[in-house]
Amino acid sequence: MALFLGQFYSEALRMETSFAAILPEKDPGRGFPVLTLLNGAGGDYSGWLRFTSLERYVKNRRLAVLLPNAHLSMYEDMAHGGKYFTYLADEFPRRVAGFFPLSGAREEHFLAGLSMGGMGALKIGMRRPEQYALIGCFSAGHSNYLFRKPAPGTPRERRYFLAYGDADVEEKEAETMRIARNLAREGAIVPRVFHACGAQDPIRKNAHVTRDLFAQIPGNPFQYEYLEPEGRHNWDFWDAILPEFLRRIDTYL
């Protein structure tokens, strides 16, 4: 495997931004399938490299792994900040496709994230279903606000304000599942969804709400799968669940 650390100027963010990429060393003769992993709140792309065995897990897989930075954006075009949704959903995939030999086929693109990044993966996946075959949401739900409303004046409350401004946060985050139901109703091509949360994770109530909403969609067009093994909201759990997600990716490779 080869590890690349990159930086470029983002038009969406109007600033320099960094990312990492892991690529197989052997040229496939065609584009590499792609897994993009999203960071959680308070972290950046380096967590996947520092606290999991990601490189070891993908060593013998014909798979490129992309690790962008979302900072504390809530994966939104922020009311008071950068256009992170536009950057991550549209600009980043387009720009890195110019840097590396990546597949352009939808069935070879996969997206996952942990905590805030799990919510972000659902946001992007439901709004860009034509881009991804499989979505992974770890230790999160479509809304991380429902059961963890921040106390007034806390840094967490300010994070929501920066992302959503004066808009109703619950209403904004509910859009993801409304879009999912509409896609199903229209018979659109949709990504498969793999969802996992630790049994001891305090955010599992949010995960259960999302699980129940997907269960209400007739016919399970998302091939939705929910796992709740032992685990907490930490890197031990995310390192353990990552190979489970990679095994789902293997069915596409």
Side-chain angles (χ1 to χ4, degrees):
M1 306 298 295
L3 173 65
F4 297 88
L5 302 180
Q7 189 165 335
F8 64 88
Y9 182 83
S10 164
E11 294 292 340
L13 300 179
R14 299 294 180 183
M15 68 179 191
E16 292 287 326
T17 185
S18 58
F19 71 99
I22 301 170
L23 269 73
E25 294 184 21
K26 187 176 180 181
D27 188 337
R30 60 186 182 90
F32 291 114
V34 181
L35 167 61
T36 302
L37 292 174
L38 304 179
N39 65 271
D44 64 10
Y45 73 76
S46 68
W48 289 107
L49 300 172
R50 296 169 62 203
F51 305 126
T52 77
S53 294
L54 172 61
E55 283 193 80
R56 182 166 59 85
Y57 294 151
V58 301
K59 182 177 181 181
N60 296 316
R61 287 180 163 92
R62 188 178 62 86
L63 184 68
V65 182
L66 304 178
L67 305 168
N69 268 334
H71 304 291
L72 287 172
S73 65
M74 307 299 290
Y75 294 87
E76 288 287 327
D77 283 347
M78 301 173 72
H80 306 287
K83 293 183 177 181
Y84 278 90
F85 180 85
T86 298
Y87 167 63
L88 291 159
D90 301 322
E91 183 183 14
F92 180 76
R94 174 176 55 81
R95 295 292 296 276
V96 293
F99 302 150
F100 304 114
L102 305 179
S103 172
R106 174 186 178 272
E107 60 269 21
E108 293 187 323
H109 277 256
F110 318 101
L111 177 68
L114 61 88
S115 194
M116 183 187 75
M119 181 182 69
L122 287 176
K123 282 185 180 182
I124 294 171
M126 295 305 108
R127 290 163 176 79
R128 300 291 185 272
E130 72 284 356
Q131 292 182 192
Y132 299 101
L134 174 65
I135 300 298
C137 175
F138 311 151
S139 304
H142 72 281
S143 171
N144 286 347
Y145 184 81
L146 292 174
F147 289 93
R148 298 184 65 215
K149 295 179 182 179
T154 61
R156 191 163 177 267
E157 183 192 46
R158 179 158 180 78
R159 186 198 315 165
Y160 283 105
F161 173 73
L162 292 174
Y164 299 110
D166 295 324
D168 185 310
V169 177
E170 290 189 32
E171 182 68 17
K172 289 285 291 183
E173 294 192 352
E175 288 177 6
T176 296
M177 288 307 301
R178 283 199 294 271
I179 293 171
R181 288 191 291 270
N182 288 337
L183 289 171
R185 191 177 302 115
E186 294 164 3
I189 295 175
V190 296
R192 178 180 169 189
V193 176
F194 173 84
H195 190 186
C197 192
Q200 290 75 39
D201 192 327
I203 210 169
R204 71 188 183 281
K205 291 182 179 179
N206 283 3
H208 289 172
V209 171
T210 303
R211 176 199 63 189
D212 295 345
L213 289 171
F214 271 107
Q216 294 168 16
I217 298 176
N220 192 20
F222 294 93
Q223 302 177 64
Y224 177 81
E225 177 185 8
Y226 181 76
L227 296 184
E228 194 172 292
E230 296 295 303
R232 300 184 180 279
H233 201 84
N234 57 29
W235 283 105
D236 289 339
F237 179 78
W238 301 321
D239 183 54
I241 208 65
L242 186 55
E244 288 288 338
F245 186 66
L246 288 169
R247 280 191 278 274
R248 274 69 177 176
I249 289 177
D250 288 341
T251 64
Y252 296 87
L253 301 182

